[in-house]
Amino acid sequence: LQANSRELNSTFGYPNNTIKTSRYSVFNFLPLNLFEQFQRLANAYFLILLFLQLIPQISPLAWYTTVIPLMVVLSITAVKDAIDDVKRHQNDNHVNNRSVLVVMNGRIKEDKWMNIQVGDIIKLKNNQPVTADVLLLSSSEPYGLTYIETAELDGETNLKVKQSISVTSNLEDNLGLLSSFDGKVRCESPNNKLDKFTGILTFKGKNYTLDHDKLLLRGCIIRNTDWCYGLVIYTGPDTKLMQNCGKSTFKRTHMDHLLNVLVLWIFLFLGGMCFILAIGHGIWENKKGYYFQDFLPWEEFVSSSVVSAILTFWSYFIILNTMVPISLYVSVEIIRLGNSFYINWDRKMYYAPKNTPAQARTTTLNEELGQVKYVFSDKTGTLTQNIMIFNKCSINGIIYGYGYDKNGQRVEVSEVKKVDFSYNKLADPKFSFYDNTLVEAMKKGDHWVHLFFLSLSLCHTVMSEEKVEGKLVYQAQSPDEGALVTAARNFGFVFRSRTSETIMVVEMGETKVYQLLAILDFSAVRKRMSVIVRTPEDRVMLFCKGADTILCQLLHPSCRSLRDVTMEHLDDFAFEGLRTLMVAYREVDNAFYQAWSKKHSEACLSLENREDKISDVYREMEKDLMLLGATAIEDKLQDGVPETITTLNKAKIKIWVLTGDKQETAVNIAYACNIFEEEMDGIFIVEGKNDETVRQELRLARKKMKPESLLESDPVNTYLNTKPQMPFRIPEEVPNGNYGLIINGYSLAYALEGNLELELLRTVCMCKGVICCRMTPLQKAQVVELMKRYKEVVTLAIGDGANDVSMIKAAHIGIGITGQEGMQAMLNSDYAISQFCYLQRLLLVHGRWSYNRMCKFLSYFFYKNFAFTLMHFWYAFFSGFSAQTVYDTWFITFYNLVYTSLPVLSLSLFDQDVNETWSLRFPELYDPGQHNLYFNKKEFVKCLVRGIYSSFVLFFIPMRTIHNSVHSDGKEISDYQSFSLLVQTALLCVVTVQIALDTTYWTLISHIFTWGSLGFYFCILFLLYSDGLCLMFPNVFQFLGVARNTLNLPQMWLIIILSVVLCILPVIGYRFLKPLFWPADVDKIMNRIHLWTRHPLLPPTQTKLRHTRPRRSSYAFSHKQGFGALITSGKTMKDKVFKKNSFSFKK
Amino acid sequence: MAMNYNAKDEVDGGPQCPPGGTAKNRRPDNTAFKQQRLPAWQPILTAGTVLPTFFIIGLIFIPIGIGIFVTSNNIREIEGNVFMYYGLSNFYQNHRRYVKSRDDSQLNGDSSALLNPSKECEPYRRNEDKPIAPCGAIANSMFNDTLELFLVGNESYPTPIPLKKKGIAWWTDKNVKFRNPSGGESLKERFKGTTKPVNWVKPVYMLDSEPDNNGFINEDFIVWMRTAALPTFRKLYRLIERKSDLHPTLPAGRYYLNITYNYPVHSFDGRKRMILSTISWMGGKNPFLGIAYIAIGSISFLLGVVLLVINHKYRNSSNTADITI
């Protein structure tokens, strides 16, 4: 493509910049949507049924019995799809109509996003989102640097830097040059790799290679850069953002799979019944029908009873189709949708500080929330707030940060007043500190304290932004650093701004500029970073901070005693679970520095072993350090995390922490939030570096937890020895105590390999808490996948960052924390909550209710349809197997759709067996969901048996009663139409009483829906059987007057009462006896709850959590490499850039 | 119908607060409905509710059952009005193809349907190019035996018992559902252009001499057209009205039943019956309901006792095993 030449570029047929996430337009909505809906098996099935019904020879039902429900079902879905799509259209329009500045013929023109084309040059301003994938040409910052935030793409909120190639950065904002820029770009075809781009820019006959550092991706936001120009490379659907989305995998719940299996069973059952009835019909036609031809001749095409039987098979197939109710899937969706709304509406999951309610982004997984067995949690930002707070420090052997009361006793910090920072105008008001002695030392001008904070304010890679005078905003690479710099700022050493050569610090109100000579950046190996500065007093100083283990060895021998004191303090800090760093300095001889600097630049320029050489040079500088002190940063846990985890543990939910963080930190947090407890029987650490050791470690752990599991005779072993075919499941194994396990990513890589997989799984699943540290995002997903593959359990992944996305997508349920680290996790999640502690409410309250409701719904729904449909089976024996329906066709049409739909909805939207307080108080109530006790194949068979029984009662009681029976005025009542009415009314009463029995939570709405539906049935009955309607369409409404003649029969009501009692009594008896004979834990708890609700003598008391922490060391340094390199690169590039500049001047 | 929001609305997607902070408050409403705190009644199945239910059902059902049974069995003495039924067995009036083989529009007097009956009536739709009225298999197979009852007194001439042939059909059927076609003076003219059903001897307008019991509104015809639910059925044929309170309707004596045999049932192994019966408040004689009530009442009572014993035994044991939570 060529810049600034729309004509040429249009020949390549690039798409324009319109994005389209909507699926339909006004015109294609109907056909497309219908087509999509009929791709669903159930809908297609009903469509086939409909066609079958159109064949008059086999159709026992009028066409409308299927068409009306099908229409309703389809239109509900269509309306929902339409609403979704309208939303998407609005979003699209909003995005497409945003305006952007385009360079056109030497002038800047405003245009809409959707009109941007490949090859255009656009101007982007600070804080603007990037319009398309753009090749950076030039920017307001030196060297063509541009800062962007990529929160939308990868979830990272920190700034990234992009740099244009030098030849184009010279274009600057010269519109003339820009519009005459005619570089040609050849690049790879659009793909979804965010961090890869290759291309060649040909400009003035020269080729320049392009990589992803030059590319601004759509979705990024320009930050800290006043303006920049870019050449549009990919537009609209070609952009990396759009290429990356839309491929979300569709999650299905266990219940969905179960439903599919059951529907298949029903089909088989249905086929079997049809077959039996068809044979019956054949025999009947042969023995009776043949001779009955005087009155009812066979149809012309029926040559023998066999042909007739084949036709009857299909007739019964149509009649009995209500076994698989058309409204099942729609009802399931509606119920899930309703229960999702409850999640969105829950005020107790609304996080006021961020103004975010919980959000059910997927509405198809609700009941699975009530079945979770394993929770995989990220650490940073999920368990912790990812907010680091400068909590304590030790300076020159004196510890600061503890609160003391008047008698000098240490007290809880919350009881002490915050330190007043009003003396410092630039202080961050959010910062709080509780020890006044430090401020006093500060004010007194304590040399060490000053030096300590000076080093904190200099030795970092934070960028500052000062939009309003005096209001500094720090952009830190890691929150630790931000916390340290903020602390220094509040105590009076304000880091104000930096260029690539200087750092401006306001020292106790006095502005000083330090010359930045070098940054010896952090790396995972070095575990420390240093800066070398030239002070205004012309002294060269090195400031270093780093992990104590490393720094200790670099200290000058003279500060040994101080080191010992400080180490003691560090132990104290670690004891409290704080993250610690050591701070040291060194004054460098000017000459020494000059020599070193030379070596350094040589090392930088060397081509071989550059890394090694540089680190050698660094090591030369970082020695003989003078210890200043140590800092302690609190990695704040989110509110209520330990309590939540304790509750979830009680609900037998196992919580694993999968984190990229290092082992010490992770373990520390695990203790802090009760994943590991002191009373545990043992904690295993797996850190082997090869196959064999990992295996040994795993087996050792298993041996301790359950020695017999290693024996050949163990059932699981014998099972595995049979080499079962995939997919097979590993049963749950019970260990002999509470254990914890720690495994690091390195060992996990081995453990996840083929033959160790099962070993790992069996060992790990026996542990109560598991910590996996140093995990890559891929490994997180692998662990989840492993679990899904071999265990029949529901897994839940919760995380907040881009690195959790893979695991969130892999797990059955993915939960995103809308927190610190951007939106990526949230966008890929099924549920978004803003605090970890809401998880217990989401699972124990909403999940449990959803699950219970869904199970009740399914049991009842299948039951009512079996009872309804099987009646035809019994009637077949008395109607010559002729596929005559028992009911009026209108009853068949309305049964699922009108008469029984609302009670079912009220049951499945309002029912609560126990209220939220109890479900949280007794997490054990969650247990049945995990084992899927309330609706499984066994329960389904029970429904079937119940349905068969009910239909039997409902058919034979009326049949025997009206047989040869007459009305009190002598007219016969055993006619077909009266019988239909009788049976259908009895059926409806029975199923209504049945649902009344199932309902445990009778709200006003439940009453209205349940009893109202029954009343409504009678209203409709009189309408359908009224003179007016029947006279208008005599052939459609044939039941004229039946209601009036039959409903006043005493037999009618006696039959109904009898049928109801006969159908309900066994159910009541069973439900009463079940907890007596087979008591489950849940029943006992329920008993207790019922006892308490009736006699509220024992108010539920929340057990207080113990806060005992053992002595654990955690010398953490949560730092990533990044900004340091950027600043330094700016610096080391200085020479080159100058050369280029001079070069261009010459031109 | 899954809702999976694929569309990532780029920058302004998601619940981000605009920097101004004046975003609308997204705190959900505090209504009982949204917070699932609707006031509710929570019934629980306990021994206290279940056991009495069984006993009460037992106590109520047994008397009702006995009442019904006695009433039903008392229908013996021939007093009050006596109803005369004919019964057919092994006759499948509920066969699907039979049931649908009628045209209710035609029977309702619709003139277009009269001349052009519904397809459902096949093969009794047209005969010799003329539409059949009434069409269909039901009408074609109408019961056409004639039953006459005589009291054989001491005299040699038996006295015929007056049989009332009106008032045997449902009022709605007679007055609303079935209507003769409108038009011409005589009934014959109104049925002009149609032919009689194949099996019939006489055309439909000659079923009876009285004009309000002729054509489609002939009550014998209407009764036949109300198809039976089961293959063994009885249909009301005639009423024998009680003349005065002093005499029984049918005094004891020898009776003579004269059957004009027209209707063939031998071919399909059918049976014909004639039934004379009186009626109680709950219809004709059928002991089933009474027996069922008694049986279920007793079972319920028994179950109640059994459950009481079980409950007593198990409740104690499960209560002693304390719940450890």
Side-chain angles (χ1 to χ4, degrees), chain A residues 506-543:
Chain A
V506 182
E507 283 177 24
M508 302 304 282
E510 185 185 340
T511 305
K512 286 189 180 173
V513 178
Y514 289 84
Q515 239 191 312
L516 181 61
L517 300 174
I519 295 178
L520 286 59
D521 200 11
F522 174 84
S523 81
V525 186
R526 283 160 41 77
K527 292 185 178 171
R528 60 184 185 269
M529 79 164 284
S530 309
V531 289
I532 304 173
V533 293
R534 193 184 296 277
T535 64
E537 297 88 33
D538 202 27
R539 290 156 64 190
V540 177
M541 305 276 280
L542 173 134
F543 293 102

Side-chain angles (χ1 to χ4, degrees), chain A residues 84-371:
Chain A
D84 284 357
D85 212 47
V86 166
K87 264 189 214 152
R88 285 195 211 105
H89 269 291
Q90 283 168 348
N91 281 343
D92 289 354
N93 282 343
H94 179 72
V95 172
N96 286 336
N97 286 324
R98 273 188 234 167
S99 60
V100 67
L101 300 173
V102 192
V103 180
M104 278 275 195
N105 306 326
R107 259 177 302 154
I108 287 186
K109 211 179 86 177
E110 200 171 315
D111 209 338
K112 287 180 181 167
W113 275 36
M114 56 184 186
N115 296 335
I116 299 298
Q117 286 181 10
V118 172
D120 288 353
I121 290 176
I122 55 174
K123 178 179 178 177
L124 296 165
K125 288 186 182 166
N126 200 8
N127 295 333
Q128 264 190 351
V130 178
T131 317
D133 288 357
V134 164
L135 175 69
L136 184 62
L137 294 177
S138 63
S139 83
S140 58
E141 302 299 293
Y143 325 119
L145 292 176
T146 302
Y147 302 93
I148 54 165
E149 190 186 286
T150 54
E152 290 300 320
L153 284 173
D154 56 10
E156 291 171 31
T157 45
N158 57 1
L159 292 187
K160 295 204 174 64
V161 72
K162 300 278 176 173
Q163 189 177 27
S164 62
I165 49 174
S166 50
V167 65
T168 57
S169 65
N170 297 332
L171 298 171
E172 298 200 333
D173 60 344
N174 187 328
L175 289 178
L177 281 177
L178 279 171
S179 51
S180 59
F181 176 74
D182 59 350
K184 281 184 193 160
V185 177
R186 274 191 295 148
C187 57
E188 60 187 350
S189 53
N191 56 46
N192 60 1
K193 296 185 189 93
L194 287 177
D195 52 354
K196 246 192 105 219
F197 173 73
T198 50
I200 294 168
L201 171 71
T202 316
F203 180 49
K204 304 225 167 111
K206 273 190 181 170
N207 284 348
Y208 304 88
T209 53
L210 304 172
D211 57 21
H212 74 277
D213 267 344
K214 319 270 184 292
L215 202 64
L216 304 181
L217 299 180
R218 180 174 185 148
C220 303
I221 300 172
I222 309 285
R223 297 273 188 221
N224 291 12
T225 311
D226 286 337
W227 51 260
C228 66
Y229 286 92
L231 171 66
V232 177
I233 306 267
Y234 300 125
T235 48
D238 286 350
T239 55
K240 305 227 176 217
L241 177 75
M242 298 312 289
Q243 296 267 321
N244 254 308
C245 63
K247 268 167 282 181
S248 77
T249 46
F250 193 68
K251 287 185 187 172
R252 290 227 153 271
T253 62
H254 283 81
M255 206 60 97
D256 285 325
H257 292 295
L258 181 61
L259 272 189
N260 287 343
V261 172
L262 294 183
V263 166
L264 202 72
W265 282 19
I266 293 176
F267 267 128
L268 294 179
F269 187 65
L270 181 70
M273 275 202 303
C274 292
F275 187 68
I276 293 171
L277 294 174
I279 287 179
H281 180 81
I283 295 170
W284 186 88
E285 286 288 351
N286 207 15
K287 290 215 162 151
K288 293 193 174 164
Y290 180 74
Y291 304 102
F292 194 55
Q293 289 202 56
D294 285 350
F295 293 128
L296 187 64
W298 285 358
E299 285 172 83
E300 288 151 24
F301 49 83
V302 176
S303 52
S304 72
S305 54
V306 175
V307 177
S308 186
I310 292 169
L311 291 178
T312 308
F313 179 85
W314 293 108
S315 300
Y316 271 111
F317 194 71
I318 295 171
I319 287 197
L320 300 178
N321 82 68
T322 40
M323 293 271 279
V324 191
I326 210 164
S327 50
L328 172 68
Y329 289 95
V330 170
S331 309
V332 166
E333 297 293 344
I334 291 175
I335 290 161
R336 285 174 177 164
L337 189 69
N339 282 307
S340 305
F341 274 116
Y342 283 132
I343 293 173
N344 296 347
W345 285 336
D346 195 340
R347 278 166 81 88
K348 292 189 182 138
M349 297 205 290
Y350 167 79
Y351 188 54
K354 284 229 160 101
N355 192 21
T356 40
Q359 200 190 349
R361 294 171 42 79
T362 313
T363 58
T364 51
L365 303 173
N366 295 51
E367 77 274 358
E368 210 139 76
L369 284 176
Q371 299 181 276

Side-chain angles (χ1 to χ4, degrees), chain B residues 12-324:
Chain B
D12 47 4
Q16 262 178 338
C17 255
T22 49
K24 77 166 199 267
N25 193 357
R26 292 156 51 94
R27 179 190 287 270
D29 305 332
N30 190 10
T31 57
F33 172 69
K34 289 191 175 181
Q35 302 307 317
Q36 308 198 58
R37 281 188 278 102
L38 289 173
W41 171 57
Q42 289 175 273
I44 311 154
L45 275 188
T46 60
T49 52
V50 171
L51 295 177
T53 314
F54 277 86
F55 288 119
I56 288 170
I57 287 174
L59 290 178
I60 293 177
F61 269 41
I62 295 173
I64 292 181
I66 292 170
I68 297 170
F69 189 71
V70 170
T71 323
S72 173
N73 272 12
N74 278 348
I75 306 171
R76 260 174 207 283
E77 293 94 341
I78 313 262
E79 50 189 38
N81 287 345
V82 175
F83 299 83
M84 186 183 197
Y85 299 91
Y86 60 88
L88 289 170
S89 55
N90 215 4
F91 191 100
Y92 283 81
Q93 257 205 324
N94 59 3
H95 194 282
R96 178 170 63 86
R97 281 189 292 113
Y98 187 86
V99 170
K100 68 174 184 175
S101 186
R102 64 194 281 163
D103 185 346
D104 279 304
S105 287
Q106 193 192 44
L107 298 174
N108 196 235
D110 188 276
S111 49
S112 66
L114 182 69
L115 297 175
N116 190 17
S118 154
K119 282 201 189 73
E120 304 283 2
C121 287
E122 291 289 5
Y124 301 110
R125 185 162 167 244
R126 306 182 83 87
N127 189 19
E128 295 163 355
D129 270 355
K130 275 188 176 169
I132 294 176
C135 75
I138 308 177
N140 188 53
S141 58
M142 185 176 154
F143 183 77
N144 56 359
D145 282 1
T146 319
L147 307 177
E148 286 161 306
L149 196 61
F150 298 92
L151 175 65
V152 186
N154 296 329
E155 304 99 67
S156 49
Y157 296 108
T159 36
I161 306 285
L163 300 175
K164 200 171 159 242
K165 55 189 168 188
K166 285 200 278 187
I168 56 171
W170 287 10
W171 186 90
T172 44
D173 284 356
K174 169 101 180 171
N175 294 291
V176 187
K177 198 173 181 181
F178 288 82
R179 280 183 203 165
N180 279 323
S182 53
E185 286 283 301
S186 68
L187 209 52
K188 190 179 174 181
E189 255 174 72
R190 299 196 205 170
F191 281 101
K192 208 178 150 195
T194 63
T195 181
K196 69 174 176 64
V198 186
N199 285 13
W200 286 21
V201 190
K202 297 177 279 190
V204 69
Y205 47 84
M206 286 169 69
L207 283 176
D208 199 88
S209 51
E210 292 179 46
D212 64 343
N213 194 25
N214 199 3
F216 288 155
I217 56 169
N218 175 276
E219 292 200 23
D220 285 335
F221 175 66
I222 295 174
V223 166
W224 180 254
M225 291 303 283
R226 186 154 283 284
T227 53
L230 299 167
T232 304
F233 58 90
R234 58 164 83 164
K235 283 181 184 291
L236 188 54
Y237 186 66
R238 294 291 182 260
L239 300 175
I240 306 169
E241 271 179 319
R242 189 175 193 178
K243 287 184 195 101
S244 70
D245 287 347
L246 297 172
H247 300 282
T249 323
L250 290 180
R254 282 180 58 220
Y255 287 88
Y256 168 75
L257 181 68
N258 184 22
I259 302 173
T260 316
Y261 197 99
N262 296 319
Y263 202 68
V265 291
H266 265 299
S267 62
F268 59 90
D269 202 19
R271 288 271 188 283
K272 286 196 262 193
R273 288 170 296 151
M274 194 283 292
I275 304 115
L276 288 171
S277 172
T278 60
I279 296 297
S280 71
W281 58 272
M282 56 156 295
K285 183 181 173 183
N286 188 346
F288 172 76
L289 206 55
I291 294 171
Y293 262 85
I294 294 170
I296 289 162
S298 324
I299 291 172
S300 170
F301 200 85
L302 265 177
L303 272 179
V305 173
V306 172
L307 289 185
L308 189 69
V309 172
I310 293 174
N311 183 47
H312 192 70
K313 215 170 145 192
Y314 276 81
R315 185 70 46 166
N316 287 345
S317 64
S318 73
N319 269 8
T320 46
D322 203 24
I323 314 144
T324 47

